[in-house]
Amino acid sequence: MLSIDGVTDLWDQLLGAQPDPPGLLVLLTAVAGFLAVAFRPVWRVARNAVTIAHEGGHALFALLTGRRLRGIRLEFDTSGLTLSAGRPTGPGMILTLLGGYIAPSLVGVLGAWLLGGNRITLLLWLAVVLLLLMLINIRNLFGVVSLVITGAIVFAVSWYASAQVQAVFAYAGVWFLLFGGVRPVFELQKLRSRGRMRDSDADQLSRLTHLPAVFWVGLFLVVNLVALLAGAFLLAGQWLPAGTP
């Protein structure tokens, strides 16, 4: 068992601020995050992280609006499904559907805010906790394996890696979510323009609100672009030279 001093040290490590990262590290991880989204072979694999955040967003908004979460599925093709019980119409259902496509970007902004305060360890541990909470509601084998592997990687980095490696991992992950929240919106509209995904979140929102689906696609895009700019602003102070206005 941990001693009182051990618990105190662990708490201080969790809530304490780490040293400022080199500005070049922040800039290079931004480039890496962008390339991971832009380069199709990497995106096909890394997109699983965006799907996890997407389905987690549906689940969180469902719970916040009083709906009962029935389960989450993550599929090998990077698609996912979140089921909840409650009224099939009304604000709760609308917010639950809305939460998916904006969740990765909002998580990215939260991560950028924590990194702006040099709370790298706190960010990594929060990620582990959220992944564990999501794991409880997973209802298929691939989803369990995907979350266990993702959580194990994040935990291993937070527990065993050096401060420099933790910083690279955390900044690259946050940049990836900020950029990665935007691309699926374009993919969604591309598929919709070809007559596919007629039951997409945007189309379900359209049926609920009688607003065109393209309005909701546009809203997803605006929110995610604003989140990208906000996240970049929060991190800008760490890669711009000191004294830059």
Side-chain angles (χ1 to χ4, degrees):
M1 295 180 62
L2 286 175
S3 65
I4 294 178
D5 289 340
V7 172
T8 301
D9 290 342
L10 187 63
W11 190 252
D12 290 341
Q13 178 185 356
L14 176 62
L15 297 182
Q18 284 70 48
D20 288 335
L24 184 60
L25 180 150
V26 181
L27 184 58
L28 289 178
T29 53
V31 173
F34 174 79
L35 291 177
V37 173
F39 189 46
R40 184 179 294 273
V42 178
W43 172 246
R44 286 175 178 172
V45 177
R47 197 185 193 281
N48 281 289
V50 174
T51 302
I52 290 172
H54 178 112
E55 300 305 328
H58 283 314
L60 178 60
F61 276 87
L63 293 173
L64 290 176
T65 56
R67 299 179 63 82
R68 183 165 57 86
L69 188 60
R70 296 179 60 184
I72 303 169
R73 294 179 63 90
L74 302 173
E75 305 296 348
F76 184 75
D77 62 357
T78 71
S79 64
L81 177 66
T82 298
L83 296 175
S84 61
R87 287 185 57 193
T89 60
M93 191 65 205
I94 292 173
L95 289 173
T96 298
L97 290 168
L98 181 63
Y101 275 97
I102 65 175
S105 296
L106 295 182
V107 172
V109 171
L110 174 61
W113 177 69
L114 290 171
L115 292 180
N118 292 335
R119 297 307 198 273
I120 296 173
T121 302
L122 179 59
L123 170 63
L124 295 176
W125 283 32
L126 280 176
V128 172
V129 170
L130 291 174
L131 288 169
L132 287 174
L133 291 174
M134 191 171 176
L135 179 62
I136 298 171
N137 294 287
I138 292 293
R139 296 296 182 264
N140 68 319
L141 179 60
F142 178 79
V144 171
V145 173
S146 181
L147 280 180
V148 168
I149 291 176
T150 303
I153 292 172
V154 178
F155 175 77
V157 171
S158 69
W159 192 261
Y160 298 107
S162 65
Q164 292 79 7
V165 172
Q166 288 185 18
V168 170
F169 184 84
Y171 278 89
V174 167
W175 281 116
F176 173 75
L177 287 174
L178 290 170
F179 288 118
V182 176
R183 178 165 178 169
V185 181
F186 287 101
E187 294 176 339
L188 167 64
Q189 185 55 28
K190 183 178 180 179
L191 290 172
R192 291 190 65 260
S193 68
R194 296 176 177 176
R196 300 167 61 183
M197 291 190 70
R198 296 185 182 278
D199 285 324
S200 71
D201 295 346
D203 289 281
Q204 292 184 65
L205 283 165
S206 177
R207 290 193 288 269
L208 284 173
T209 62
H210 305 294
L211 294 171
V214 70
F215 167 83
W216 294 105
V217 174
L219 182 61
F220 296 156
L221 182 60
V222 169
V223 171
N224 292 352
L225 287 175
V226 170
L228 172 58
L229 292 174
F233 176 79
L234 289 167
L235 299 174
Q238 297 183 314
W239 62 267
L240 290 174
T244 301

